[in-house]
Structure formats: C-alpha cells, structure tokens
Amino acid sequence: MSASQRSFAFEVAPKRPPARANLVIEAGAGTGKTTAIVAEVLSLMLEREDLAPERIVLMTFTEKAAGEIADRIRGALEDLRARLDAAITAGPVVWPEGSASPLVIIKDLERARRLIAHHLQEIDAIRSQTIHSFCQSLLRSYPIEAGLDPQFKIVEGFERSLLLGQIYDAWLDHETRTDPQTEHVAEWEQLFEHAGYLFQVRELVLALVNRRDLLGETAYAFGELAEAEGMIRDAIHAVRRCDETGDSDVQRVLEYLRATDPPPEQLTEGARLDAWIDYLRPVAPLLREANLPKRGVLKEAIRLLRSEKKGTSIYDRLVSHRAAMALIAMTRRFIAWLDEEKRALGVVDFDDLLLRTLALLDDPIVLARARAQFDYIFVDEFQDTDRTQARIIDRLARDEGGNWVPGRTVIVGDPKQSIYGFRRADPETYYRMTEQMIAAGAERRVIREQYRSDPPLLAMLNAMFSRLFASPDDPEPHDPNVFRPSYHPLIAARGSSRRTLDTPLTILQTQAEDRTGRFFAEGETIARWIHARRDGGPRDLQRFAVLFRRLTKLDDYLDALDRHGIDYVLPPTRSFLDRAAPVDLLAVLRAIAYPFDRGAQISAARSPYFALTDLEILEGGTTTSQDSDCTDPWTRFTSAIVQMAAESRHLTVAGLMDYVIGESGIEAVYAAGPDAGRHLRHLEHIRQIAFEYDLRAGGSVRQFVDEITRRRSEPEEMEPTLLDDSQNAVRIMTVHAAKGLEFETVIMPDLEFAAGGGDAVQLFTVEEPKSLVLSGRAESISAGFRLAEGEPLRKIASRREDAEMRRLFYVGVTRAMTDVVFVTSLSDQTKASGFLKCLYESLGVDRAELMTMIPAEGRELRETPIGTIAVERSTAVEGAAAELHDAADSTTAPQARSIRRRRLLDAELERDLAAGPLVPDAISLPAAVAERLSPSELASRRLGAKHRAAGLLLHRFLELWNGTDEVEPLLRQIAVEAAAEPDVVSRVRRRVTAVTRSPVFQRILQAETIGREFPIRFIEEGTPVERRIDRLIRENGGEIVVDYKSGKPAAARLVRDREQIERYCRAIREITGRPCEGLIWYIDLENDVVVEVQA
Amino acid sequence: MSLLRIAPYRQIADDIAARLAASRQPDEPLSPWPEEVIVPSRGVAEAIAAALLARSPSGIAGLQLQSIETFAQRLVNASGRMPRVATPAERRLAMRSAVRVVNHPMMQGRGVSAMIERAYRDIRDGGITLADFSRRASRARGLRDARRTEALIKAWQEYERLIAQLRAIDPADLIGQAIECIGPATPRQLLAGFYDVTGMQLELIEALAKAGCLASVWIPSDSPFAAPFITSMRRFAVEEESGPSAAPVPERTAVVYESRLTELRATCTRVALLLENGAPPSSIGIVARAWDPWEVRLLNRYANESGFRTTLHDERPLTSHRIGRGALTLLRIRERGFPRAEVLELIRDGLRSETRIDVDATDIATRTARIAGGTSNDLAAMRGRSRTIDGYLALVAEIESLTASIDEDLLGRLPDMFRVETEADLSAVAALDEIAALFRRATVWRRGFDLSAVVDAMEQISLSDAPATDLPAIWAGDVMHFRGRSFRNLCAAGMQDDVFPQRRIEDPLVPDSDRRLLGLREIGDGRAEELLLFTLLSDAASESLELSYSVGDGFGKVLRPSRYLRPFSHRTGGSEVLSAPIASPNLQRQLQLLARAGTRSTFDGYVGPLGELLRSKLDPVSPTQLEDFGECPQKFFLKHVLGVRDIDQPEHEIQINHRDKGSIDHRILERFYKSLDREEIAQAAAALPVLPDALLADLDRIIDEELDALEQQMPPFNRTVREIERRATSRLLREFIADDIDDLHAQQLVPRWFEYRFGSRYRENADQPASFIVEAGGIPVRVEGTVDRIDAGGDLLRIVDYKSGKAARHGKLSDKIDRGVRLQLALYAMAIAHFFGAAPHNVSGTIKPLVVREARRTKFDFSLEEKHDRLLETLAIFVRAILAGEFPAFPNESDTDFNSCKYCPVNHSCRTRHDAEERYSMQQFGDPRTLLGGSE
Ligand code: SF4
C-alpha cells in the first residue's frame, strides 16, 4: 500500500488509540488536499471519544478555506451518520463513499455511530480559522501580556495606509523638528544624501516596515565595512604602486589616488566609512564612467573601484551601505514609534497580529496555557506561511522540552504552489521546518491521485512540470538559499475526460505590430477564440478563465471582450481610489473645500456631476461676473458649489458626500451606463472610507480631501470574493487570486511580462552565508560584497523570483480541468522572460523552434518533447482593424483605432445624445439641509441651556417640597442628587423664597396630587406611546396636568408646548371621561409665567 | 408563594395585560395599580403596554412598567435617601484617574481602564463587594497573576474613593440600598420576561419574594441558558403549566446576497413592498445580532430611499461636528506648534475671534508665503509683508493667548467660543457644557488637568442625527434591544458566522480560571445564550421571517453564513446595488457627457475657434507654455487659457518648495559663474577632479547667502531639514560644477549669459527687448521667455537648461523634440540663433541635470540644425490646433517617455486621466502631436 493510499482502519474497540506521528502531507494541485485534512480529522474523531472539537485547530490561508474545511468536516460526519444509520450489514463503511482507495474504513459500526453522534453535537466548536484570526483570539485572551488595548481594532486596507502615513509624518516631525537628536539627524542626512528627497526616504522606510519581521533577526547580519575595506585598500594600493596608464578619465583617477592618501585604519567603523566616502567623492563621477584598461593590475583595480558595469562606483556602494545602515536604524526607531502610537490608538494591523502573537508566546506561562488549549494543529497551505507564522506554529507544536509533540501537528502543503513571496511567504522556511519535523519522526505523505484534470491533460501536465521542476530522485543537493521543489508525477483519479479534444494544450499566436499593440492583439484573439467556442449553453462562458500574472494593461483585454459581447467577472480592483467614480466625487468635494482652487472647480464642472462643456467653462470662467449672464452654466455651477460649501459646514464628510450625490443625481447617471455596478460599488466604498474618517478622525472636508490625495497609495491585497459563482461569464483574475479554484479552460496571456523590481528595497535573509541582505535603492555590504556560489548575495533575490515565477506558472496552468491555452505574440524581438521562459522550458522547445511550429494560418497539431500540442495562428488583429475602420463613425470617433465600449445601456439614447445637439444644462441650486435657527431663538436657547441646571433644581424642589418643611435640608439633599454646582444651589436658594410664595405654587400645593412623574400610555396615530406628566393634580373634580419649564415662553415655543400639554390633557380626558386642563409653568431663576391650557 | 410561568414573550405580554386589566377598579382609572411590572427591556414593556392598550384603547395611566434599576431608584427615593448614581462619564473618568495611581505596568495600556471598569462592574453587579472580593482573592491559591489581581483591587479601591468624593454611588450600591428599603409598603411586582439576572438583581428579587412583594414571574424560555434562573426562581415560585402555544409558524427563509450593500438594500426593498401591500409599520421589524455604525447608516439611507425610516439613529461623533472638532483643535493646537492649516480651520469651524480675516484670502496668502505653522513670534520676520499676512499673525497671537493655559477654565469657556447656528450646534455646545461640568466636579480629586482625559471624554460623545421626516417608522435594532418584541414580518439581517453566534472572550483580568477559584460566575463561551437569543428571535415572527446574509462585504472580503441558518432552505437574493436612483433635472446633459466624452467633443477640450480670445494666448507665448501644449493640450488650456495654478501645501513641503529651490540653484550658479573668467575656468579644469579650495569657498559662501536670504523671506518650520538641505546643496553643486567645468573646458565654451530674458514683457529687465517671432504654418507667433544659460565659444552658442528633477526624464531628448513633447529648449535655441544672428549649425542645446550622478551617462544634447524643420512643422500643428480651439487632454505618466500629468495642477481630479475609456482613446495616438494630425 503506498503512503498515499494509507487508510485508517478501526478495529473493534481498541484498548488504546494507536500512537500517531506528526504528519507532513505534500499534495499537488488538484489532489484533494482538503479531503486529506478531513480524513485526518475524521480519523481522530473515530479514535477518541474524549476528543473535544474545540481542541482541534485548523489553520488555513483564507477565511473562505477556513469555512470550507469546517463545512466539509461536518458534511463528512453527517454523511457517515446517515450511511451508518442506513447500514444493514455489519460490513465496513468507507469514506469517501465509493472510493477505490478510501481514506477511512470503519469496521466497528456501532462505536462509530456513537462517536459520530457525540462529535456532531459539538462540531461547531472546531477551530477552523486563518492563522490571523487564530492569533487574534490568542491576543484577545492575553491582551495585557501582549501589551495591547483589550478592545484593539484591526486596521487594514486604506485605513491602514492612511494611519501609517499620518504616523510617519508625526514621527518625521518628532525626529527632525521637535526632538532632533544629533545621531538621528546624522542618519537622516545620510539617507537623504543617498535618496535625494524626503519622499523617497519615506518610501524606503515604509517599504522596510513591511519586513519588520526580519529586522529583529539576531542570527543574521548585514555585514561590516571591513568586509569590503580590504579589497578597496588592495585595489588602491595596487593603483598607487603600478605605473600603468589608462585613458584620460582613468588617468585622472590614478593621479588623484596616487596623490592622496586613503583614510587611516585606526578609526572607528563609522568614522572610517565617512572617511572613505569623503576620500572617494572627487573621483566618483570619473569612476562611474571609467573604461577598463585592457589588462593588468590596473584593470582589476579599476573594475573593483568602478563596478562590474558602468554607472556606479565603489563610492556609490559605500554611500549606499551607509544609507542602508541609516535606513535600518531609522526604520527600527520608526517601528518602535509606530508600535507606541498604535498602542495608544488601540489598533493593530495584520502584521502585528502575527508578530505580537509570536512575542506573546515568549511568555512561558502564556505559551504553556496556549499549548494546553489544543491537542491537534492542522496547517493548510503551509507553503505560503511566512517565517513568523512558521515560528508560531513551531512553538505551539512543541512541548516544554522543545521537542515536537508526536501526533499533534499535521502540515499540509504543496511547495510548488508557494507563490506569495510578496506577502513574505517563505518557501525556504517551509523546507527547513518540514525537514526538521521529518527528522524528528514525522511521516511524510505524498498524495498522488489527482481529481481535477482530465487524464490527457494530466499526462501533459506531468510531462511539462517534470521538466520545469527538479525530479524527486534528483541527486543534486538542496540549495539552502533558493528553494526549488521537486515534482512528483500525479496519477489521474478521474476515469474519463469531460470533453474529447485533439490535444489539451494550445498555443495561440497573435500578430502584434509592436510592444503595446501586443495587448490589443492578444485581447482580440482571446475574445474571438472564446466566441468561436460558445455553444449557447448556460455555462458556455463560465468555463473559461483568463489568468494574468498581474492585472496591468487589462483595459485592452476587457475592451476586446466588450466588443465581442462576452461577459466577464473581475475581482474587486485594488486601486479603486484612482477610478472614475471616486475621482469625480473627490473633485467636487475639493471644489467645495477650496473655493480658491480653480483647477478643482474646473474638474468638478467637467465631471458628470455637472457636465459642463469646456466651452461653457471657458466662456463662464474667463468673463467677470458683472458682464456674465447670471444664468450661464458656469454661474449656475459656481452657485451650486457655493451652496454646497455653505451646507458642508453643517455636515460630516460622509454627510456631505450623501448630499452631493443626492443633489447631483449621479447615481442615476451611473445607473444608465454599462459599468453601473462597479461605479456604484466604488462610490459606496469611498462613502464608507469617509464615514470611518468621520468616526475616527472627525476632520473637515478639507482635511479629508488632503488626506485622500496624499495617501492614495494602493490598499492592501485583498482576498478576492468570487461574488457570483453562478454567473455565466468569463473569469478574469490574477494567478494569485485563482489559487484554490479550478476552471475547465485556462487561458494565459501576457506571457512575456516579467515581475520584480517593484519595491524600493528588498530585505531578505540568506542561509549560507548567514546574512541579512538589503538590496535595491540602498544596499548593505552583505548585498554586494558577500558571495554565494560566486555571486553577490543581492542576486539571490532574483533567483528566488525566478523560482517563484515557475511556481506561479505551475499554479496558473494546473487550474485547468480540460485544457490550457497560451496566448503568445512571438517575434524575433521577444525576450524569454516571465511565463514565456517557463513555457519554453516546460515544452522543451526554444523560441525559434516554437516559431517554426506556427502555421501560416489556421490550427495545426505539432509534436513536441512533451507530446502533441496544437499551434494556431490568429489573424484576429487584421480582421479587427478592418472592422474597426468600417465601424468608425465619423460623428463619434473620427480616428478611432478601437471601437468604443458602449457608454450608455440604451444604445439609441447614446446615439441620439452623441449625434444630436447639445442638451442645455439644468443645474439647479441644491436644497439647504441644515435649518438655521434665528439669532434670537439661538440666544434664548443658549441662555436657557445655561440656566437649565438651576431650573431643574428648582423644579425638583417645587416637586418635593410640601410647603411646610424646612427648605435647607431638602435643598441640600437634592443638590447632591443633581450634582448641582454651589453657585447654582445658592441661586436656587435665593429664588425659592419668592417662588414658593407665588399663587401658582400655592394652587398646586392646595390641590390633591394624583401622581408625580406620572406615566400615561395612549395610542397616537396608530402607535402606542408613553409619556410622563410632571405632576397630575385634581382640583374641583377635574384633573390638571402641571408641566414645569425653564426659559421664556417665546411665541413659537409656546405653540409647541401648548400642543404637547393639550395632548396629555386629551389623553387623561379619554382615560377618565372627566374634564382635564393644563398648567404650563415657566419657572426658573428669571421667569415666572404661567400659561393655562383650557380644554 | 409567587407564581412562575414559562411562556414565549408574546404570551407573557398577553398574560400580564389580562392580569393587570382584571385587577383594575373599573370606576377609577387613575387609582393606583395593585401591581407593578419589572421588565428586562423596553421591548417587553412596549409589548405589555400594547397588549393593555388593545384592551383599553382609551389609554392607561399610572402603571409602572420599569426596569430593575428604575424600580430600585424609586424605592430608595421613596425612603427619602435620594442618592445620586454616578453617571457613566463620571465612572469612566474616575476609573481613568484611579488606574494612574496604581503602580503596575498594565495600567499604562490604552483601554485598560475601560477593561478594569468592566471587570469591576461585572463583579459588583454579581453582588460582591470590593471588600468581599479582596478577602476571597487573598485566600485563593493559583490565580493567573496574583500581583495583577492585587493591582486591580487597588485600582478599584481608588475608584470607589473617587466616586465617593463626587458624592455619588455606584449603580450596584443603589440596588443594595433598595434591598434595604423593601418593606410592607412596597408595591407587589410582576417580573416579566427575564431569563437571566445579575447577582445583585437576584438579591433584590429574592428580597422582594421574601417580603411577599413578588407576585408572579414570567420567563420566556426554558432553554439551557435560562435553566439556572428558572432553578433559582423555583425556590420561591410555584410553576404554573402553560397551555399549548398556539403561535402560528411563520414562513422562514434564508436569503444569500452578494454583499452587505445588496443585502441591506434588498431588506429595505422588502419592507417597502410590505408597506405598499398595506402592512402597518408596527408589524414589521428589522433585527441583527449587532449593527455597526456603518451598517446603521447604510440601512437608514436605503430605508429613506425606499420610503420609510427606521428607529435606529445615525450617530455622529462630537469630534466630527465642527464645534467639537474646533474645541479639540483649540485644546491641542499649542502642543502641535500652531500649524497653519489648523489655525485657519478654527476660523472655518466658527471660532469667534476678535481678529477678522478673510479666511480664503488668508489661506492663499499664507500658502504663497510658505507658512507651515509656528507662533506669531516664530513668524515675526513676516510682519508687514501684507495686510493679509499681518491679519494672520494677529490671529495666531490671539489663539496663543486664548490657549495660554489649558485647564478647566478654558474647557468651561470653550462652548461659547464658537458660533452656533443650528439645532445640532446647540447639542454640540450642550455636550461641551456637560464635559466642562464633569471636569469641574472632578477638581475635588485634585489631580490636575488631564488633556487626554478630556479628549477621551469628548470621543465618547455622539450626537444623534434624528431623521426629521414624517416617513413611517420601522423598528430596527440589535438582538438585545429586540428582546420582548414580536412582529408579523421580521427581517433578520447580517446572519454571518462569527457575528451570530457571537464569540465570547473571557475577561483577561479575571479569567474564568480565577473566577472559579474566587467563587464568581464564569463568563464561559456564551454559546447557550446565543442560541437562546436566536430562538427568541426566530419565535418572534408570526407571519414571515427572512434571515439574510452576504457572501462578501462588498469591498472584497469574504463572509460566511451563520451556522444557525443550516436548517433553512436558502435562496439567492437580488443583486441590485441601487433600486431606483433619483435623477437630477440635469440628467440628459450628464448622459450626453458620457455619450460624447472621448470623441473629440466639446466635453473633451474641443472648444472651437474663438478668434481673438485664443489668438491672444499666442501673443506672446512662452516656450514653456508651448511645451505644456505638446505634453497635453488640455493642460495648456487649463493653465494658460483658464488660469489654473498649482495650490501649494506648505505643511506638506518639509523640504524647500521645488520651484523656490530651482530659482535658488539658478541664482547660485549664476553668481558663481559670473565671478569666473575663461582663465579661471581653465585653471579649475586643470585641477580636476578636485576643485580649487578658493572656488569651493566661494561657492559655499554664495550658497549660504542665498539660503540665509530665503530663511529671512520664509522662515522654515523644520530647521533641521533646512540645514540638511543646505549641506546637500553644497555637495550636489560641487559635483555639478566639477562636471560642468570639465565639460566647458572640453567644449571650449564659457558661460556667457545667465537668465537671458527676451521679450517685451520683461521691460527694463530684458536682455533682449524684442520678442522672437516665429512663423508657424503661416501664422506669426510671438515667443518670449528666459534661457537659463548661454555658453559661447568662437562662433558656437549653446543653450543650457538646468534641471533639478530626475535626469532620466530627459533621455531621448532629440526624439522627444521631434514628437513635440519637449520643445522648450529647441525653441530657445531658435530664438537665440535669431537674436545672435548665428547659423543653426552653430547653435546647440543641452540639458544639464543638477544631480550629476544620474546625468552623466545620458546625453541631452541636440543641434538646432537637425531639429529646425521638424520643429517648425510641430509648431504649425500646435498653433493651428490652438487657434482652432482643440485642447484634448492627453494623459501620460511614463517618466521615461513623458509625464504630462505629473506636474499638472488638476492631476488629482482630471476626468480624462481617470476614465479608462477616455484615457485609452487618447493614448492610442502616442503623443498629442500625432493626435492633432501630425505624422508619427
Ligand atoms: S491630468 Fe494629465 S491628462 Fe489631465 S489635463 Fe492634466 S496633464 Fe492633461
């Protein structure tokens, strides 16, 4: 029985559970990883009656996966229960049902029945969660030990970048303005010298913050000057000694070096570095461009002092190192500051969740408690864990003696699918940790049955990836610095194919005129190819997925699909703030916020919110108001903006947005276009950001607009929601987003695209020699002067990128169930970059060979080292160009090189509006939303508010005093009750004497009191209401409602007050059937007015 | 013995109404009720009231339907004690103050005082006094962290002391006092609808029972969570069998939506439909386990659009109201160093200042003067520059004096410092009054003024935005507020995993393991209570119950359904983000913009020939302006026809503004080179790579003088950065000059003219008063401008343009001149050739990036002879287009090609740049020259 076919057989009531080993499962794409996990959990449950599901932790990579695994486990238990209940024979029951190689075999049905029923009751307690939410719950249980606000909030996406930006600004101000320390300022200067601008310093620091996990590594080092210095001294020494000559530039360098002594050796590291930089500065420009002398000592010396290539020099490398060290020191300080600020604000981000958890587990008591909480830990997609995550798992999986607890940990992953390098996934860590586990006795299990792909496709995938990846039997030792997983060929678990195809692999060659034309051509080709394969069925589009390395130049592809009427679904895009809907709304907000910003005014006027023509703007905007017609569009527009600005004073930012959107009817405008859903979602998103801003920052619209403009940097990568699985539309997404999904036909365009180079700096570790490497815009000594296999360590980053590119290619291709289509635009100029390189390698052909396979026209089958593939030449572009010319309508697109996408859903309306005369604008003055109170009302209300405390105290006194008791004790008692301030009490004290003598008071005293704070309930306009009457008295056989008020009974107020008391009287009358009148007593420190309300 | 009955809420309300109604004297409706009712929630009270009103439609009077706390307060007041229960704000502040005196590291953390307060509340409400707790703690062995528990007790003791100093009591003490007041005169109580109570509440109930004042107890469920309460009630109440419940079974469905947006939208649409079909508003309810503020806002917005309103009110933090914000700014502005934007924001927020300023004019003037902030003293050098600046300085001085001391007194004055205009303003001011009063009361603690506590207190306050509409009101709320209510049609939204059931987290201060040791009630995982809540919810609908959830939050986050939905059949709900949007009267025009944009229409900068207006823009025109046109005709239109300018942001410009820096660099170089003659250049070249010391000293002196002058002119907000820049300038210019001298020497050229101005607009400052007239396609165009530097040597002339930015941008200069996207320098060369009578082959141009390092490898030279004809052709195209009024926007952001948008004053809001469709239709043409009909 192969390892992958191992089953769990449960004998009749085993005395004790079989000893379990830890487990490392390697599961290639489509092999049913989740099934493997479910089987493991089932086996545990069928083993142990005392197992509480909450003691099983399943860590997944996404929320979606977390939910799916939990559902699958429950589903499996329910399925087993049903089958066990239905089982009539005593024969074994297997899972999955009907499987030829079942993963679970149950023999003792009775026991299994009991156990399953038992576990099903508690199964919801199983802890299936992402590692982030696992960390979150741990931190919430130990916030004090973790040094966190117990109510900490997680900030992500735009909110996080906003916060990070603000905190950075405050830190910069602190470091350079409010508390400049000499050594800190020196570092700022060193980094500034290298980066040139403060904004670039910021970029560098923020880029490093994302690798804060590595900044704490103590076992790795950046390297010191000494590592380079020996070489430099040798080179200079050689130059000074030899009498060779070079061209004029080199000659000047030689003269300088010979005439000037290098820095002495006895200085400290920092001073020596400065001295070297000063020493080399004058010759730096010459060195950068120096031509190497033909031969000799001088050639080598100059090569070292210049660099392998022109454009840089030893001086630049030292400056870079100095800047790198300054950057590291500054970033560490910034992180400390950031942590403090976040602590003060009570927020954490996703990185904090991990780092804080790891730090929390340093506390032995917490670690022991955390370990004691779980019996089993399953980690899914382990190849995508980063080193912090791995360490957390490592800690939980071991015992106090530091040994792996046998049977506790199951790790599942596919090293070939490690594609999240940009999120710090660290396949080298995967390798080390799994090897350690295996060395400590864990079982390695490779799952080979593949359920996803049709057999012919799987055969081809096996052939391709056996070429692209190493063989498992490869005798080559493992490269400790660059992880290269091996490929285990898979066995088709699907018996038959879904569709009969001549070959599952097609190369679709397009004809592109130039580099940019490539996207256009590829888009057109794909659209036609899909179009030709539609069968009118309900899923005829859904089966296609177009997978990109990155979603750049997407517009060309979408355009083509639009032209061909092919529906598509896109995951939410990240940089939505740069999309039309938010930009237009922000333009209007900016115009409101800054009346003096003419650019903003014009942008707002041009936006669909107002839709002025440029001519109207010109005519209105360049004439002065005196000679302009007051009803011209520009004046109407500016009046609307002025009105909105006036209202904005009374609105929050989110409130202002609602107001602007409502007044301009922009939603109706978007709703008329084909992209309504997207625009409206973007609009909702920016509204939400504004709302959060109001809650958190509470700034003005000006501050909001400023913040958004400054912090437009991309929000974080999000877990994509495939919103509607049922929509018949082509799926368009990145390979990253496609992970975990499958599609019948996978189409991969834009193959040449090479990734990398996005970040300002990269920080990474190297195992041999153990180093921390900073490379990119600032480079540590370790990057350029330390070598591994003869190459500077900096190069390891690109080697890792290359390895990841292969894995990414693997993930993309293996999403397919029936066939894969590669879209190429090969020409003599095509470089072997990106996926294209992977394609050549996996097919076993090079560009030239592939080009010879492409037929002059149509589709042909060709033999390749991996089998028969189809090669097809598309003539889509010429066809499209011709059609485009035919379709170009002189009124709408005089020189169209592309057909325009539909702009309005109603084609006829679009035609009419496009061709017809200019519709006159109908901008109206927005309505006022905030009702302004009159100055007199404001004054009296404000005065009333000021005297309110005294009024209330007085009312309370009048309520409680019986007319005979001593005043002072009561007054003192109610003053405490009301927390009245001393001056209020003394004013009331003075007032009491006069008031109690008043006839109104005497009248109330004399009457019979029915109740105080007397509740009444009645039905008003169909709804039951509850009211309280200050005092209800009885006089002459009828009731009187007494109501105390403070302030003056101004006319408007009196009307309102009367209405209120009349309602109460009416209610009492209805209840008693007796007459009832009202008495409104305006009584406070200044006023004593009574108003009688008659029936 | 009291009676105990277990029945659903609906039945409880009916039972109690029947009992109360039967107990009334029919002849005297105002007479006291023989029994009162204690309810756990408003929902229960309202349900009982509604049932009573159904029996007595004319109304009821005098019946007490009260919470336990209200009952307790009434009882204690009736005894004549009238204690004051500390307000939540007082308790929060007291705990904040209390934790500060305890020396334990945990007390420093944010949110700790709130957590300590919660733990205190929990323990005291559990019926345990602090003394009792300390006794138990001192005896217990094996607490998670005994030192921490000790610190906790200290904080609580201090808290109780502070509350006592305020002459207030804790809510737990109120119930304690009430228990003492129970006596024969206490009215008999009906306990309606509790399924769980705190320890303190239980004591009160027991006391009532003992005194014979507990008439009857109704419990809404016999679920496991209610079991302990039922058991304790059974001790003094006899259970009555409830009859079989005849409650109708509603139609129950689970509906899945794409996103929270569509879910809430559809919920509102459903409610609107029910209303339309005649359902009374009171028969419909919307409930969720919890509503976050954003969801409340969405729900209310969608409800409004669907023709109803909900009983949930949008909350607006005091700090987002202009008066709250202004108050906060005033309190902090001193420690922040009086930033310019905040000073002006205060005026915009309605600060009543003595100094009168025109805030927009001041905003512009202070931006132009590059004021980032500072006290009036810091900015003294600017005094007298203009009336506007003086006004600003006076304003800063006034704010300085207003905020001279930050204390209770200032806090008390804050509410009257701002202009009040609306109802909301009045509430904001009233909230500030309350905070001021709170801090005045707290002066008895003698702790000094704590700004962070004030900020915290302000952050706790929300102003409620009650809808001023007469739309029908639909009850909406969370599950806790829902208790006791029932509706014919109920929508339960947000049925998501992790939301319902809500996961409990144990109290980190007194964890369950400690609670066990201390004999306190444990928090547990809350599963039983959640299930009970769900059951109560699903039992509360009589006709239909729609449980909805979303698969995403609408912004990319995946959401999962609640496990409670498993038994239900699921259907997919609508995906409308918008139901029926309200159009403005301007709709047709707005749609026309969509239909025409990107088609060379009047919405795309094609304004048509406008005769003199446009001709005047070429008379004169500068090469820089024409270059703007070459990059993006719309940018030319905006800047040079419509007069749009960049808006400076001094607070964000920590470095010297790039335009100022450019002028300074130019001036330094001009002064430096003017002092050198050919001989000195030759000597300096011979000394390279090191420049002679005397020259370096000269250079540094000039740099210092120029930067000192700038400092006088615009005092820097950040001096450190200014000093760093000063040294950087010296370093970069040294390198530049070494390189430049080397180049000059090699080319046999000498810098001869600097900032060479030609054209009439320079008047007496012109080096050449005439303009350069160039015939562009037969139309004479008058060009005027300033050349950075002209080098001369023999017959040769070289036009030099300094660039401070990235050198890479200027690569392929020659090609870019041909494409029309860089033509400033070529045009200068043409003008200079004309003025100096030089043959084109003797005139060249070059860009000299001031950052030499990036520059050396790319050459930025061209010869006029090569460019001349194509340049004229380009000019002809541009001039024709300008006169024809063709100003299309041409977005381009490639730094190595040309970046039209980077320095465009509308780059943040340009429609064409941000509309994929419009942008695409332009970019197909490569550059504006091609777009306007030029050959590629
Ligand atoms: S933002 Fe770009 S496209 Fe728009 S006007 Fe400015 S330069 Fe032209």
Side-chain angles (χ1 to χ4, degrees), chain A residues 67 71 74 122 124 140 142-145 149-151 172 176-177 189 193 197-198 252 282 288-289 311 343-346 369 556 559 578 583 590 594-596 598 603 606 608-611 613-614 616 618 649-650 652 654-655 658 664-665 669 681 684-685 687-688 691 698-700 702 710 718-719 721 892 895 897 900-901 903 913-914 916-917 919 921-922 933 938 941-942 946 973 976-977 979 981 1015-1017 1071 1074, chain B residues 28-29 49 58-60 62-63 65 80-82 84 106 110-111 115 118 144 148 167 293-294 297 301-302 316 319-320 322 325 345 348 360 363-364 367 416 420-421 423 429 433 440 505 508-509 527 554-556 560 563 566 582 584 586 589-590 592-597 599 602-605 610 634 641-642 652 654-655 688-689 717-718 720 727 731 735 742 804 857 908-909 911 914-915 917 919-920 924-925 936:
Chain A
D71 288 350
R74 163 181 271 277
E122 293 294 314
D124 283 332
R140 292 224 186 268
Y142 301 95
I144 301 195
E145 290 80 353
D149 179 344
Q151 299 287 309
L172 181 149
T176 59
R177 192 178 69 85
E189 183 154 6
E193 174 182 356
Y197 295 95
L198 281 179
R252 277 152 80 184
R288 283 179 202 128
E289 300 307 316
R343 211 165 94 108
L345 291 167
R369 281 175 192 271
D556 291 275
D559 265 352
D578 269 329
V583 166
R590 179 183 287 274
Y594 295 114
F596 46 82
R598 197 157 155 66
S603 290
R606 297 185 86 231
Y609 282 76
F610 297 96
T613 68
D614 288 312
E616 287 164 344
L618 176 65
R649 278 169 52 77
H650 303 285
T652 56
D658 289 352
S664 63
V669 180
R681 254 198 309 281
E684 290 292 1
H685 202 167
R687 286 164 113 160
Q688 189 198 22
F691 182 79
S700 68
R702 277 164 297 283
R710 296 187 65 215
M718 285 187 284
E719 190 178 321
T721 338
T892 59
Q895 282 195 28
R897 293 186 184 193
R900 276 160 49 85
R901 204 184 299 176
R903 299 295 301 246
L913 286 173
V919 177
D921 81 283
L933 304 177
L938 283 167
R941 296 271 296 275
R942 188 70 194 115
K946 281 190 176 158
Q973 192 177 18
V976 171
E977 186 196 27
E981 297 185 29
I1016 52 169
R1017 290 181 174 81
I1071 292 170
R1074 292 192 290 268
Chain B
E28 185 37 74
S58 54
I60 47 169
L63 174 66
L65 276 168
R81 280 195 234 174
M82 296 198 286
R84 181 171 79 87
M106 89 170 155
R110 180 194 148 105
M115 181 172 59
R118 257 193 316 279
R144 190 192 273 186
R148 185 196 292 170
R167 304 178 76 187
W294 170 239
R297 187 169 178 92
R301 208 174 84 212
Y302 295 160
R316 160 183 194 172
T319 45
S320 77
R322 67 178 170 85
R325 176 171 63 228
E345 208 56 44
R348 290 184 165 116
D360 287 336
D363 198 340
I364 279 287
R367 281 169 192 264
D416 288 318
V420 176
E421 294 168 36
E423 201 68 55
V429 165
D433 279 338
R440 268 198 304 275
I505 291 161
L509 288 173
R527 267 191 284 169
F555 309 125
R560 295 192 31 89
R563 66 182 65 140
R566 275 195 207 116
I582 300 156
S584 97
N586 203 24
R589 166 58 85 89
Q590 291 170 311
Q592 190 168 41
L593 177 139
L594 292 199
R596 284 207 190 168
T599 66
T602 177
F603 296 99
D604 302 311
L610 295 170
Q634 181 124 93
V641 180
L642 295 177
H652 303 154
I654 301 160
Q655 287 186 242
L688 288 174
F717 193 52
N718 189 322
T720 307
R727 291 189 288 271
R731 230 176 7 246
E735 209 171 318
D742 194 19
S804 358
R857 310 196 59 220
H908 43 66
S909 54
R911 197 191 72 220
H914 294 99
D915 183 310
E917 186 76 15
R919 187 179 57 234
Y920 181 66
Q924 292 299 303
F925 294 91
E936 280 177 51

Side-chain angles (χ1 to χ4, degrees), chain A residues 1051-1069:
Chain A
R1053 180 174 176 204
L1054 190 59
V1055 172
R1056 279 199 306 271
D1057 293 349
R1058 263 181 181 283
E1059 265 173 26
Q1060 177 203 355
I1061 301 307
E1062 271 166 13
R1063 264 204 306 277
Y1064 294 180
C1065 295
R1066 205 164 37 242
I1068 295 287
R1069 271 199 304 278

Side-chain angles (χ1 to χ4, degrees), chain B residues 632 634-635 638 889-891 900-901 904 906-907 910 913:
Chain B
C632 170
Q634 181 124 93
K635 183 159 72 171
L638 288 164
F890 198 97
S900 45
C901 300
C904 174
V906 300
N907 57 12
C910 168
R913 180 184 174 210

Side-chain angles (χ1 to χ4, degrees), chain A residues 489-534:
Chain A
L490 303 176
I491 303 157
R494 293 185 63 83
S496 57
S497 301
R498 295 169 181 87
R499 278 184 293 124
T500 321
L501 298 168
D502 50 6
T503 168
L505 204 153
T506 302
I507 290 176
L508 203 48
Q509 162 75 1
T510 68
Q511 222 57 52
E513 287 168 20
D514 51 26
R515 200 181 59 78
T516 38
R518 178 160 73 84
F519 307 113
F520 175 78
E522 290 189 2
E524 186 63 29
T525 301
I526 293 172
R528 283 170 184 248
W529 196 86
I530 292 176
H531 194 76
R533 277 153 190 80
R534 294 192 70 168

